[in-house]
Amino acid sequence: MPGWAGALGGLVAGGVALGVAQLVAGVTKPEAFPVVAVGNAVVDLTPAPLKEWAIRTFGESDKAALVGGVFVALVAVAAGIGALARRSAAVGRAGFAAVGLVGLAAVVTRPGAGLLDVAPVLVGVAAGMWTLEWLLRRAGARAEGGPARRTGEAGPLAGTAAAPPRPSDDVGAPAETEGSGRPAGIARSGETVVRAPQAGPAANPAANPEVRERAERPAVMRSSEDGRPVFNRRGLLVGAAGGVVAAGASAALGRMLSAGREAETARVAVSLPRPARAAGPLPAGVDFRIPGLSPFVTSNRDFYRVDTALLVPRVEPREWTLRIHGLVDRPVELTYADLLRRPLMEADVTLTCVSNEVGGPYVGNARWLGVRMADVLREAGIRSEADMLLSTSHDGWTCGTPVDVVMDGRNALFAIAMNGEPLPLDHGFPVRQVVPGLYGYVSATKWVVDIKVTRFDQDEAYWTPRGWAARAPIKTQSRIDVPRNGASVPPGRTKVAGVAWAQHTGIAAVEVRIDGGAWRQAALAEVPGPDTWRQWALDWDAAPGEHVIEVRATDAAGRTQPEQRTSPAPDGATGWHSVTVRVG
Ligand SMILES: Nc1nc2c(c(=O)[nH]1)N[C@H]1C(S)=C(S)[C@@H](COP(=O)(O)O)O[C@H]1N2
Ligand SMILES: [Mo]
């Protein structure tokens, strides 16, 4: 087997080792990825003058240069190990073990290292050793049962390698003959021998004397006349390709998991500044505390989530910036630190999704902490012809919000916190928009990174060409939470209760009727302002039988919900919510 084949095997095995290590680090601890640990250790061990030289030479990319250097060193070492391992599997294993020891030393000497930190190195090294031996076996090295077969890693067919030849053995068929030391499944490709080097693309393999000769020999003798193993180039290349795929896939998955954990680590590390304008405690009567009724404050865990993101964007605050540009006098770019230095305010705001059906679950209320969008936009200087803020999220989703709504004095925020915690990753960490009174798809951009000040007649946001209205104020709605539709209710006095919302206008009245009878006024809970939902409740003397309960709300502008049911598209559902219950 030529030297390049061993080197290739070493490289692929090294890649698998790193990919697997990255994957394990992704599930255990991202900093325990050995390349990062080695890089950090190198930084610590580098004498100051050399460090300064590196910073002078590589500048901002000194970290990239360092990690790159570690990778180049690893590539060279891996290739060397592979080339040496052609002769002896023990050498290959020793090489991986030596590299692993360096990785282990780096990992365990990191500040805050724990026992679990050794896992990425150990599992990665094991995967690399296994891959190297597997590849070299495929390539034909040590076909005569060298150390490879004693490792016990060979497939179930390995034991047949020394079986006597069967006269009927044909080149294409005998997995047993070709299976020497290979995992089952791979062994079945009789092709491997037919297309072995020198054999050529024989149309009729049996007619090729060389192939026939080789096929008729037992596998133990699958070597050339001089006693050296036959090099199976195709076997090696196919195996190497598989190894590259496995290495890439595990590295990608590991990076994904790591990124999530890094963002989560960064999120936990955020210490929220005190608001310049705190919202104060909620009024005592905001919550009737009726079992089954939505609590006034929706916990972050229970808050509905709606977005187009298959993978939750993982944005680290130190990498986050918000750019405001377009029809402005002075474009603005803010960092997370800039945002946190500005006066923060708290606001209780109920979010609602336009896709919410009448009675549906896509509505939730939270206390948000953030910077007023209007303050930042005023600094940028919005031109008079602008009427739309086209915001873009980290993952490229876009949202069009009317300028006048954001600037009219309401609590439209670049929010950084939700219910006293940094925004959960799912809800837009590190920064999202919250605009009272507009459905989420035209206002509530999560992971917001860019705002283009523009015009509705010049730009379109994500959902507009998909059949949803460009402008979408929230429609006044009410929902019955208890009793649930289809519930059985004991006869006698019982509570009917739910929530109603008309953000930025406020709820003035909620009425309930049973079986199409007269409307009765429900009691309304307190609210901190017009931007949240409002609980309502009514005592009902339930008589046995089946009953239909309906609800409708009237907002502070005097508009009562229309009875006419419409579906959510294009700008929000209308109609009265109703439930049917059995009493008895
Ligand atoms: N980046 C991004 N932000 C987004 C969306 C999205 O798809 N991507 N969906 C919007 C919609 S339709 C709604 S209703 C709200 C929901 O916010 P939540 O998931 O925090 O409840 O987010 C809005 N912000
Ligand atoms: Mo939505």
Side-chain angles (χ1 to χ4, degrees):
M1 176 177 358
W4 68 261
L8 175 65
L11 276 179
V12 172
V16 168
L18 287 176
V20 168
Q22 176 98 68
L23 179 58
V24 176
V27 272
T28 57
K29 183 169 152 191
E31 306 89 280
F33 178 51
V35 175
V36 172
V38 168
N40 284 327
V42 169
V43 171
D44 292 352
L45 296 175
T46 306
L50 186 56
K51 233 185 282 193
E52 280 149 27
W53 170 82
I55 293 167
R56 264 200 316 278
T57 313
F58 299 109
E60 291 258 298
S61 18
D62 59 340
K63 302 243 162 29
L66 174 64
V67 171
V70 173
F71 268 109
V72 169
L74 280 174
V75 163
V77 170
I81 292 173
L84 293 173
R86 281 180 303 154
R87 300 267 146 57
S88 147
V91 169
R93 263 175 268 150
F96 267 92
V99 174
L101 278 177
V102 174
L104 272 186
V107 164
V108 301
T109 52
R110 288 286 88 207
L115 198 58
L116 207 58
D117 293 16
V118 302
V121 179
L122 293 184
V123 180
V125 163
M129 286 181 180
W130 184 89
T131 305
L132 182 59
E133 298 199 5
W134 177 72
L135 282 175
L136 294 182
R137 272 199 311 271
R138 283 185 67 93
R142 299 191 297 282
E144 304 178 46
R149 236 186 311 148
R150 287 195 296 269
T151 63
E153 285 158 356
L157 300 174
T160 62
R166 283 183 282 150
S168 63
D169 274 357
D170 188 278
V171 168
E176 305 93 302
T177 324
E178 296 310 317
S180 157
R182 294 181 207 172
I186 291 135
R188 247 171 289 280
S189 71
E191 267 193 337
T192 352
V193 165
V194 177
R195 302 230 182 114
Q198 300 98 27
N204 177 1
N208 177 330
E210 191 193 350
V211 171
R212 196 208 320 248
E213 183 207 359
R214 214 184 297 150
E216 282 167 357
R217 287 194 307 241
V220 274
M221 287 173 61
R222 199 182 49 166
S223 49
S224 52
E225 297 311 321
D226 58 9
R228 298 226 316 271
V230 169
F231 173 45
N232 180 346
R233 176 204 216 112
R234 185 185 156 88
L236 171 66
L237 293 181
V238 171
V244 167
V245 169
S250 44
L253 187 58
R255 284 186 71 92
M256 223 175 69
L257 294 167
S258 300
R261 294 168 61 88
E262 279 156 20
E264 184 55 40
T265 309
R267 175 178 175 265
V268 171
V270 170
S271 67
L272 296 172
R274 283 172 167 281
R277 268 203 285 156
L282 289 169
V286 290
D287 207 316
F288 288 135
R289 296 176 191 280
I290 296 169
L293 170 61
S294 304
F296 178 75
V297 177
T298 313
S299 69
N300 291 356
R301 191 164 38 88
D302 294 338
F303 210 96
Y304 80 95
R305 175 188 164 199
V306 172
D307 53 60
T308 58
L310 285 184
L311 295 174
V312 175
R314 312 293 192 171
V315 187
E316 286 201 59
R318 66 181 148 77
E319 280 158 17
W320 180 88
T321 58
L322 176 64
R323 208 164 71 89
I324 299 171
H325 59 105
L327 300 174
V328 294
D329 298 329
R330 296 164 294 275
V332 168
E333 182 154 351
L334 287 175
T335 66
Y336 190 65
D338 293 338
L339 201 68
L340 264 58
R341 270 196 295 272
R342 301 179 69 102
L344 296 170
M345 65 167 311
E346 279 179 331
D348 297 295
V349 179
T350 297
L351 294 189
T352 309
C353 184
V354 70
S355 304
N356 199 41
E357 304 273 356
V358 172
Y362 301 132
V363 52
N365 180 57
R367 176 164 285 191
W368 309 92
L369 172 72
V371 170
R372 269 179 176 263
M373 291 174 69
D375 292 348
V376 180
L377 291 165
R378 219 171 281 117
E379 279 181 22
I382 296 187
R383 303 250 176 87
S384 57
E385 67 267 33
D387 63 1
M388 180 212 223
L389 303 173
L390 183 72
S391 51
T392 306
S393 65
H394 185 77
D395 61 331
W397 182 82
T398 56
C399 167
T401 310
V403 168
D404 55 350
V405 170
V406 171
M407 303 303 286
D408 75 357
R410 72 183 74 194
N411 292 329
L413 301 179
F414 291 122
I416 58 162
M418 179 178 185
N419 292 328
E421 282 177 31
L423 287 178
L425 302 187
D426 292 3
H427 294 291
F429 181 78
V431 182
R432 76 171 304 167
Q433 295 182 179
V434 172
V435 181
L438 302 181
Y439 285 118
Y441 83 107
V442 290
S443 69
T445 311
K446 304 191 271 190
W447 316 288
V448 62
V449 294
D450 188 280
I451 294 179
K452 179 184 178 193
V453 180
T454 178
R455 296 180 52 85
F456 277 98
D457 61 15
Q458 274 168 21
D459 275 297
E460 250 187 350
Y462 183 88
W463 284 113
T464 310
R466 292 167 172 84
W468 297 83
R471 297 171 191 258
I474 294 174
K475 295 179 179 172
T476 300
Q477 265 297 347
S478 52
R479 183 178 77 191
I480 302 164
D481 286 350
V482 278
R484 297 213 148 271
N485 190 36
S488 290
V489 179
R493 238 168 108 96
T494 190
K495 289 272 186 206
V496 180
V499 285
W501 58 89
Q503 286 94 322
H504 206 57
T505 305
I507 291 292
V510 172
E511 297 164 287
V512 176
R513 70 176 183 184
I514 313 287
D515 302 327
W519 288 104
R520 294 174 56 198
Q521 294 289 333
L524 297 179
E526 298 294 317
V527 276
D531 294 340
T532 70
W533 61 12
R534 189 163 195 174
Q535 290 188 354
W536 58 266
L538 183 85
D539 286 321
W540 174 40
D541 260 320
E546 194 172 83
H547 300 287
V548 176
I549 310 172
E550 291 171 288
V551 67
R552 70 178 186 192
T554 300
D555 65 28
R559 288 175 303 229
T560 301
Q561 279 181 251
E563 177 173 14
Q564 167 87 37
R565 282 265 187 146
T566 62
S567 55
D571 61 356
T574 65
W576 300 336
H577 187 213
S578 73
V579 297
T580 303
V581 297
R582 265 217 83 73
V583 178

